[in-house]
Amino acid sequence: MIKLVNMLVRADDLTHEEFVDYWYDEHVPLAKGLPHAKKYATSVPTDPDRSEYDGVVELYFEDMGDLQAAFESDVGEAVQADLAEFAKPDEGATLYVEETVQFDDESEDR
């Protein structure tokens, strides 16, 4: 499983609350249409004034081919364009990682 992790920095003209509202109300519904996406998770800081980033998005795909196809699609291009409406895409770190679960509370192996 491949995971895209993106640390998001809000656009200069938005408060943290406006950033989160736009992200959840406008961007997430658009991102639901990404082909091949297996999971989309968001995280926001509990104390945004003490955080370097305004949010973290995690997108899961079976492999890098599926991730690439998703963002080359019409929906993927729209998602990338919309990101610039509420965030500064080049300011936060982006990671492409292969997730390895070390333990999970729901796992029977513990």
Side-chain angles (χ1 to χ4, degrees):
M1 185 72 61
I2 297 297
K3 179 167 55 170
L4 163 64
V5 180
N6 193 270
M7 311 300 281
L8 300 178
V9 176
R10 74 179 181 268
D12 291 332
D13 61 337
L14 297 178
T15 66
H16 178 76
E17 293 76 21
E18 291 169 334
F19 163 86
V20 172
D21 288 346
Y22 187 96
W23 187 13
Y24 288 2
D25 296 341
E26 304 294 330
H27 191 76
V28 170
L30 183 61
K32 283 183 180 180
L34 276 171
H36 310 293
K38 300 295 182 189
K39 181 178 175 181
Y40 183 104
T42 62
S43 301
V44 293
T46 56
D47 187 351
D49 292 333
R50 296 185 61 183
S51 297
E52 186 173 348
Y53 300 104
D54 292 280
V56 179
V57 62
E58 297 172 287
L59 281 159
Y60 293 75
F61 298 89
E62 284 297 324
D63 54 42
M64 286 299 292
D66 281 353
L67 184 150
Q68 185 173 7
F71 286 102
E72 289 175 351
S73 71
D74 290 343
V75 172
E77 290 177 5
V79 165
Q80 292 175 84
D82 187 62
L83 182 61
E85 294 296 318
F86 69 103
K88 297 189 265 185
D90 296 331
E91 296 227 2
T94 299
L95 302 168
Y96 300 91
V97 298
E98 187 163 342
E99 182 177 76
T100 303
V101 177
Q102 303 300 330
F103 73 88
D104 185 334
D105 282 349
E106 296 178 15
S107 173
E108 294 180 21
D109 294 334
R110 281 186 61 185

